[in-house]
Amino acid sequence: MARACSLAVRAVAACAVLAYLGLGKRVAVSWDIGYVADTRAGHTLRRAIGANGMLPIPPVAATVGDTLELTVHNSLDTTTTIHAHGLFQRNATYMDGPAMATQCGIPPGASFTYVYELDNAGTFWLHGHDHHQNSDGLRAPMIVHDKPGTEPFAYDQDILLPVEDWFHDEFADRIKQTIDPNATFPPPHGYASGLINGTDGDSTRPLRFEPGRTYRLRLINMSALMWFQFSLPGHKLEVIEIDGEYTAPLSVDGIDIGPAQRYSVLVSAYPTVAANFVYNVTMHANFIPPTAGLTPRTYIGQVVYREGAPRAATIAPAHGSPDFQWLHDIELQPLDGQPALVPDRRISLEVGNLVYSTGQHLDHINNITYTAPKVPTLLTALSMGAAAADPRVYGPQTNAVVLAHNEVVELTVNNPGDLPHPLHLHGHTFQIIEVGPAMTQLKIPEEYQSTTVRCAGPFPPRRDTAVVPEYSYIKIRFRADNPGVWFFHCHMDIHFAMGMAMVFVEAPDILQQTLRVPQEMLDFCRARDIPIAGNAIGKSGLDFSGAPAVPTVVEPQPLKHPN
Ligand code: C2O
Ligand code: CU
């Protein structure tokens, strides 16, 4: 109903009535995406990407049942798109955003309105999904509140705490240095700084706690590369949401948040004011050699109960003490008690970094380094008739897997290399079933050879971005109940750009019967001479004549990874 509302121009009055009836309102946000000059976090002037001349881009908030209309105008000199990370985009995969997977980029000077039906409450984020523009600033938190009176947990105040890495160099320069076959290692693109709430980590405004109150902190890692550990010593963090899925509450002392992951935690303030506290945000990446003052790097935020109260003397339990409990997401239980799905189909994936015939070290899934097709994968799925069920039509470098409607898929992602990867699936959350030591002939460090960890209870936790640790595998499951084209990729942008990506083409037969891509999206393709039908290069069937040669693996062993 809400969708019909948002699309039909004459239905504005009807929408007002629906909103009055509590059936959801229309929330309009508009972003003029353009270059801004930035000097945050002690960096010298750099070019960055903001919206309406602002960086950070302010958070967007709405309520379940609302229709969020995000109108973007592209004032860049290159194409752009926006992805609402964590939204399912049911019956609207073309609103998902990833360039050349579900749409052609919005050309410079053009505008487009993304229409998001908000069917799930939770903590999400909006970010660029073309040319890795998120890494250059095009990213903002998005909160979908429960309808009033339907919150599963009680709290007094909602506090947003997005964290992000921030580099001096633009992404295009960093990736160029990283994949240059003649470059020295490590690439000279420098260290990131950490931002909290969009400002330099240490100067973020204090949190104000009132005695006896309960706060919901929403932690979002909007990084291009870095991890963040969060703790509020002297207070427990009660986890209630991961990536837009409510969980049964679990109390911990600290959370390590991978790129693109989100957590909501409830924090109970002390009943009386004895002291003020601090929270710690430590930016780190275990694959970057520790360098004093640069990485890991801890930012301190103030938690003020009363101005002038003494700072808590004991910070207990301290990081590193045996009493300090880190969250392991696999120990969480979903609040809805959904049992483990029973797989219909098992798919094995291996991720890593290999030397290719181009002379470059590139990332891959199952030896294929992802390269965007010439025709957006969705348009191939819609135009190829019965052949859309043949994964080969999507080209030799998209790693496409075609899924049947409603089949339960189990992915086992094996990561024999020395880097962790935050793997994100679009259009779904998935159950985390198991994490264990990598299946490999290579010698892996002793501490990774430990026994396999299965989800703790009968109900596996669900989320949309899970970390496969270094030297490990992860087993995840989801039901293919959302026809569409859905990316699956590492959310460290350097790895994504180096090819650690693939696409699931879910129920192309249903898509062909039900989906009508808005004309203006097809016009974006035409404006840039991109075919809107045919296989990955716009030809029929499996005709790939004239396509560029596919890079092949020349060095099959996993290597030390350039990051
Ligand atoms: Cu957060 Cu493919 O995206
Ligand atoms: Cu990665």
Side-chain angles (χ1 to χ4, degrees), residues 83-86 96 98 125 127-129 134 260 424-426 465 487-491 496:
H83 169 55
H85 183 123
D96 196 42
W125 58 304
H127 67 77
H129 216 306
N134 50 308
H424 170 44
L425 177 62
H426 287 222
T465 306
F487 241 136
F488 182 62
H489 63 87
C490 177
H491 220 291
F496 181 19

Side-chain angles (χ1 to χ4, degrees), residues 452-531:
T452 301
V453 183
R454 295 204 167 74
C455 66
F459 311 122
R462 295 193 304 278
R463 65 185 319 168
D464 63 41
T465 306
V467 174
V468 57
E470 59 280 12
Y471 308 118
S472 301
Y473 73 84
I474 188 170
K475 196 173 278 187
I476 63 179
R477 291 180 193 155
F478 64 97
R479 183 182 296 279
D481 57 0
N482 189 11
V485 167
W486 307 117
F487 241 136
F488 182 62
H489 63 87
C490 177
H491 220 291
M492 288 154 75
D493 275 90
I494 289 276
H495 298 175
F496 181 19
M498 289 166 80
M500 194 176 288
M502 63 184 291
V503 285
F504 289 103
V505 179
E506 200 171 311
D509 47 340
I510 295 179
L511 290 174
Q512 289 171 8
Q513 288 158 23
T514 58
L515 209 67
R516 291 293 162 263
V517 174
Q519 182 60 41
E520 50 187 326
M521 291 189 121
L522 302 176
D523 294 342
F524 294 155
C525 302
R526 289 212 180 87
R528 294 166 52 232
D529 289 327
I530 295 173

Side-chain angles (χ1 to χ4, degrees), residues 96-117:
D96 196 42
M100 301 315 285
T102 58
Q103 71 167 104
C104 292
I106 303 165
S111 298
F112 181 71
T113 300
Y114 288 97
V115 179
Y116 302 141
E117 301 302 345

Side-chain angles (χ1 to χ4, degrees), residues 26-50:
R26 178 181 161 270
V27 177
V29 174
S30 118
W31 286 0
D32 183 354
I33 297 172
Y35 297 109
V36 294
D38 188 85
T39 54
R40 286 178 300 168
H43 292 312
T44 53
L45 190 69
R46 64 155 287 181
R47 187 176 79 157
I49 300 177

